[in-house]
Structure formats: C-alpha cells, structure tokens
Amino acid sequence: MAYNHVRNFLLRRPSLFLCSVRLTSLCSQACLQCRIPSQSDGSFFELESFEVVCRKLYKYGTRILILSGGEPALHPQLEDIFAIAKKYRFRSMSILTNLYYSEAQQDKVIGLSAKYGIGIHTSYDGLGDTADRLRGAKDVQATVERAMNRINELRKQGIYQRKPTATVVISALNIDQIPDIIQRLQDLDWNLNADLYRWGSINHREQDVLKLNDKAKVIQTINLIRRTKNLKTPLWYYDGLLKYQAGKMKKQCPYLISPTFGSKFFVHENGELHTCMDGSLGNLLNDEVKDIFRSQPWRDMQRGFINCQGCWNNCFTVSSRALSYLHWPTIRQLMMMKSNRT
C-alpha cells in the first residue's frame, strides 16, 4: 500500500487517502446555503453497493472515510453501513450529521457511533431563532444540544472515546453570535471548526442575506476565533484567508498542489465519483479507481481546476499544502490539541 502512495505521488495522481461517501441526499433540515436536498431523488446507498465502494476505496488507498449526506443518519440500515465500513479497517471514520432528529434516533446514532468507533461531526451555526432560520427547521439549538449533551454523557462514562467536533459557518446572520457560540462549545468541551460563508460550490446556494460585507467585523471575529482554545481549524488558514480576500495571495487548490494526499473526493449514493466541481469522473460500481484517474473525464477536470478562480475554505484549503503547517502558532496549536485530546 505504501508503494502505491509513493507511485501516485511521483505520478501526481490522487491516492483517495480521504474520501467522503454520501449515504443519501435526503436531509432533516433545509439550510439556507445548501442545495443538496433540493436535488434529492429520495434514494439511499444500497448495502451491496456500499461494500463494493468500500472495498475499492480501501484497496486503492483510502484511509479516512467520511459518511455524509444530506443527512446520513436517515439511512434505514445505518448499523449495517457502519459494520461494513468497520470491516475494512479504515484508519479513521466519521459521520457528518446535523443531529436534528427524534430523541430515539439520536440515541441510536450516538450509540452506534460509539460501538463502531465513528467520529461525530455536526454543525452549530446559531442560537435560538437564528439557528432555526439558518437551518430551515424549528427548535434547532435545543434539539442539537440535547444530542451533544448525550454524547458528553457517554464520553464521561468512557463509552464514546473521541472528542467530537462542531463546525460553524460564519455569515451576516450569525456573526454577532459568534462569541456566544464559541463560549457554548467551550462549555460543552467540543472542538470547533470555523469557516466563512461562501457560494462558489455547486452544492451551495447563493444567498445575499448571508454574505459578509463588513470587513472590519470579519477581521475582528477571525481574531477572536484564533484565540479559541478548542479550535481545530489550523491557525495558518486564517492568515491566508485574510490575505486571499485582500488579493494578496493566490488560491491554494489541493487538486493542483497536492493531488496525491490533498485531493478530496465524494462518492454519491449511486456510486459516482465527484470532486468539488460538477460532473462525474466515473462510477465505482462499474469502474476501477486506477482507470478513472487515467480517463479523459479526469484530464478534463484537471483543466477545470487550473481555470477555476479558486476558493479558500475549510473543506479544501487546509489539505492543499503540507508546508503551510510549518507555522509556529499552528504547530503550537496542534501540540496543545494533542495534549488535551480525550
């Protein structure tokens, strides 16, 4: 396996080291910024197909598997999904879940995550009515916090042994709540990822009401986030983000700079392999991974990356350039996170 990674590195081919698998595009919320549920056909990843994909991914080199959606917890055979994924012994597995569903379903998802060693990542974008507006649902904060507290109960009992993470997307609607959101996550002892609202991805919906136009307030908020003890986003990212927005730094695209280990791919519930751009590269139910990265669609996609105006966001930028981590504040941050890991 190590030989395959070295070969891919020399050939500048992706190793699919990290891959996200979308179990369904159905969702329990209707977020202002998200287009995925509106495109849903109501289907779920079938178990036999999921096993084919896991086998091919692991064989090719995937070691970090992320289960996403829509809302992946809506999958009617979630334990079977977890069991299949665990069988292939990925180094790390996580579920991206909004935790917005019934108490019984919350207990089930949390219990299964503990049983199969699945990391839990959720969204925590606002408080009170702001959360409801952003997520297109009712009583979002109370519902999500009920699940977060349940996870913490299992952490105290040693049943759930991973420190969970919450991501906040800063927008014009919630920027004034960020100090309170940070404090709430610190009280809950959860890791924090923080990003800015963007509308460049095919999966995102452009919303004027979310756009950040007050640059001074954005800088003030980023400086506050940088001082947060439970921050998981690398500190160098925010330095680059401000320079990028000011036109003083070029894009950092993982598909161009570090295609072997930085590229991020998404397998849809029908088996199609996608990148951040529109269009399928191939279907893992029918195609071998090595053939996909020798194909014309992949060459066409690479030209698309070159012509892209670029983005600077948590999903892609933090994996684009390993040398960016040679940044003393970030090194110190990572050392602190390691010492505080539970």
Side-chain angles (χ1 to χ4, degrees):
M1 190 60 66
Y3 168 77
N4 290 339
H5 290 317
V6 172
R7 181 189 60 191
N8 288 330
F9 181 79
L10 293 175
L11 295 174
R12 290 186 60 79
R13 286 183 188 156
S15 268
L16 280 175
F17 194 80
L18 180 152
C19 191
S20 177
V21 177
R22 193 173 80 180
L23 300 184
T24 180
S25 52
L26 288 171
C27 195
S28 56
Q29 295 182 329
C31 299
L32 279 178
Q33 69 184 58
C34 183
R35 295 177 63 238
I36 293 175
S38 65
Q39 302 168 333
S40 178
D41 62 2
S43 63
F44 297 93
F45 223 124
E46 295 182 1
L47 294 182
E48 290 183 4
S49 299
F50 182 73
E51 177 139 24
V52 170
V53 166
C54 284
R55 182 172 65 250
K56 288 187 177 181
L57 290 178
Y58 187 83
K59 180 181 178 181
Y60 188 79
T62 300
R63 289 298 174 266
I64 300 175
L65 187 72
I66 299 173
L67 303 176
S68 67
E71 174 47 61
L74 295 179
H75 197 289
Q77 297 168 293
L78 191 63
E79 181 164 12
D80 294 321
I81 290 287
F82 282 5
I84 291 170
K86 186 175 179 64
K87 182 171 73 172
Y88 287 92
R89 296 179 296 178
F90 294 100
R91 184 178 301 172
S92 176
M93 297 184 292
S94 300
I95 183 171
L96 303 185
T97 173
N98 59 36
L99 296 174
Y100 186 81
Y101 26 85
S102 70
E103 293 186 3
Q105 181 71 355
Q106 286 179 343
D107 292 343
K108 176 182 177 181
V109 172
I110 294 166
L112 290 175
S113 298
K115 178 179 178 180
Y116 290 95
I118 307 291
I120 294 176
H121 294 246
T122 196
S123 296
Y124 195 91
D125 288 327
L127 309 175
D129 292 340
T130 298
D132 292 356
R133 185 178 180 188
L134 285 168
R135 310 299 293 186
K138 295 181 179 180
D139 299 322
V140 171
Q141 182 186 356
T143 302
V144 172
E145 287 193 6
R146 187 267 175 193
M148 296 171 81
N149 284 314
R150 177 59 180 154
I151 293 167
N152 283 349
E153 291 173 7
L154 297 188
R155 291 173 67 195
K156 290 178 181 178
Q157 296 171 26
I159 297 173
Y160 186 82
Q161 300 181 349
R162 298 179 64 172
K163 188 169 184 176
T165 299
T167 295
V168 54
V169 177
I170 303 166
S171 69
L173 287 182
N174 68 2
I175 192 167
D176 292 327
Q177 292 188 343
I178 296 302
D180 292 327
I181 289 173
I182 290 173
Q183 186 60 56
R184 190 73 190 110
L185 291 175
Q186 286 180 335
D187 292 343
L188 288 164
D189 189 33
W190 277 50
N191 286 327
L192 165 68
N193 273 328
D195 206 354
L196 299 185
Y197 168 69
R198 59 190 183 277
W199 55 93
S201 167
I202 60 168
N203 290 326
H204 290 86
R205 192 191 307 276
E206 184 171 0
Q207 296 280 12
D208 289 341
V209 71
L210 298 178
K211 293 180 181 178
L212 292 156
N213 298 314
D214 190 332
K215 293 184 178 180
K217 185 178 286 189
V218 169
I219 293 173
Q220 180 184 14
T221 302
I222 287 177
N223 287 333
L224 173 64
I225 289 169
R226 287 177 57 96
R227 298 192 297 271
T228 302
K229 293 181 180 179
N230 58 334
L231 181 67
K232 195 172 181 180
T233 309
L235 289 175
W236 66 260
Y237 166 80
Y238 296 110
D239 292 340
L241 173 63
L242 295 176
K243 291 178 181 178
Y244 178 76
Q245 290 193 331
K248 298 179 180 178
M249 180 174 283
K250 296 180 180 179
K251 67 180 180 182
Q252 274 193 201
C253 175
Y255 297 97
L256 298 176
I257 297 174
S258 54
T260 302
F261 296 109
S263 296
K264 187 174 181 180
F265 295 88
F266 310 84
V267 184
H268 288 193
E269 55 269 36
N270 60 2
E272 290 184 349
L273 184 66
H274 289 253
T275 67
C276 60
M277 293 186 173
D278 200 7
S280 170
L281 296 172
N283 193 303
L284 291 180
L285 301 181
N286 307 314
D287 307 323
E288 294 299 325
V289 179
K290 64 180 181 180
D291 293 330
I292 290 176
F293 292 124
R294 294 170 178 167
S295 69
Q296 188 62 45
W298 173 241
R299 289 191 286 271
D300 293 340
M301 191 72 72
Q302 287 177 301
R303 286 194 290 271
F305 297 139
I306 294 172
N307 296 326
C308 173
Q309 294 300 309
C311 59
W312 194 281
N313 61 69
N314 235 332
C315 292
F316 299 97
T317 307
V318 296
S319 65
S320 61
R321 188 172 178 268
L323 291 178
S324 295
Y325 286 83
L326 298 179
H327 174 249
W328 172 240
T330 301
I331 293 172
R332 184 170 54 190
Q333 173 197 18
L334 295 175
M335 291 172 61
M336 289 292 294
M337 287 189 64
K338 185 175 181 180
S339 64
N340 294 330
R341 190 173 296 158
T342 59

